[in-house]
Amino acid sequence: MQIEPIAYFRSPFATKFGVPKQSGLVENLMGTIEFVPQHRNADALRGMDDFDYLWLIWEFSANRHAATSPVVRPPLLGGNCKVGVFASRSPFRPNRLGLSSVRISEIEIDATRGPLIHVLGADLMDGTPIYDIKPYVVYADSHPEARSGFVDKNAIRWLEVVVPDAVASRYSSDELAALRKVLSLDPRPHYQDNPEKVYGMMYAGKDVKFRVEGDVLTVVEVE
């Protein structure tokens, strides 16, 4: 079977650096699903407005090299422990397919670019190809008592984020709230911990410069 994208994702992130590691972690992060011309048909979305969440099946398109190892090092484990690739959500997979649950914010049927689905909480960079969309169904998809392996034993580390007023004024209130949450997840590679190093992250068309010391991330400037 050969598959082709049905849509592409529009996101504030021009690169994969800074994108949340999982969907739902930054619940107010906005994005848009834009269909390719042959699928810009409102009938394909009929009934979707009765659902709150969607599953997206997409491609880790920024990872172009082939996955060759049966084990990976999840960032949640500090990059020091290995688990099987199929026991992880690593982007380095044989078929580079991702699966994300996102919340529907708005369905824009009469848009110039065809029907658009505006969503919240996605973990996709801008331009990510989407191969399928399915509705999230509680009775089949929700298992609140299920075990989650190493995730249950390793809490996410949240940073305190300091954003100077001069930087905050460059963003809308919604963009700023999402940016703070993204930065609090510590976008740095797990193996780097240099308090003097300034990192850059493209977000909403601007290069956000920041450094991290201990549990505090400070935005230095925005270009």
Side-chain angles (χ1 to χ4, degrees):
M1 179 177 68
Q2 182 174 349
I3 59 175
E4 299 291 338
I6 62 166
Y8 288 89
F9 198 75
R10 302 305 170 201
S11 162
F13 294 96
T15 70
K16 65 181 179 179
F17 184 69
V19 175
K21 296 293 192 298
Q22 299 292 334
S23 60
L25 285 177
V26 183
E27 66 280 354
N28 54 350
L29 182 60
M30 296 178 286
T32 299
I33 299 166
E34 181 178 335
F35 290 91
V36 299
Q38 61 266 41
H39 293 292
R40 290 178 183 173
N41 188 330
D43 285 340
L45 278 62
R46 188 184 302 173
M48 184 179 286
D49 52 0
D50 291 327
F51 293 88
D52 284 332
Y53 288 86
L54 298 172
W55 287 111
L56 306 182
I57 300 172
W58 49 279
E59 180 186 355
F60 289 105
S61 52
N63 297 340
R64 281 312 193 183
H65 61 278
T68 57
S69 175
V71 295
V72 295
R73 301 174 186 266
L76 194 59
L77 296 179
N80 298 317
C81 298
K82 295 180 180 180
V83 301
V85 64
F86 300 129
S88 80
R89 298 193 176 194
S90 169
F92 302 101
R93 322 184 65 78
N95 287 317
R96 297 201 304 266
L97 290 179
L99 178 67
S100 297
S101 175
V102 297
R103 186 179 183 91
I104 299 172
S105 173
E106 178 190 2
I107 300 174
E108 192 177 351
I109 294 296
D110 297 323
T112 304
R113 294 174 289 167
L116 301 175
I117 308 174
H118 303 287
V119 299
L120 299 170
D123 54 344
L124 286 69
M125 62 178 279
D126 190 64
T128 295
I130 298 173
Y131 292 106
D132 205 357
I133 300 170
K134 301 177 186 290
Y136 177 97
V137 179
V138 173
Y139 84 89
D141 299 339
S142 179
H143 306 282
E145 303 304 319
R147 296 181 301 149
S148 298
F150 62 84
V151 178
D152 289 337
K153 303 172 186 176
N154 295 272
I156 295 173
R157 178 189 178 217
W158 298 91
L159 300 179
E160 177 186 347
V161 176
V162 177
V163 181
D165 291 342
V167 171
S169 65
R170 305 276 303 274
Y171 294 99
S172 70
S173 58
D174 289 339
E175 288 175 334
L176 181 60
L179 176 61
R180 286 183 178 275
K181 194 71 175 287
V182 166
L183 293 174
S184 71
L185 287 166
D186 195 350
R188 298 174 302 166
H190 55 76
Y191 53 84
Q192 294 192 11
D193 189 22
N194 180 356
E196 301 301 320
K197 183 175 175 60
V198 175
Y199 300 86
M201 181 186 79
M202 293 301 300
Y203 173 79
K206 302 178 182 67
D207 190 5
V208 181
K209 305 285 190 180
F210 65 90
R211 60 165 56 98
V212 180
E213 184 170 2
D215 290 329
V216 179
L217 182 151
T218 302
V219 176
V220 178
E221 62 179 335
V222 170
E223 298 178 349

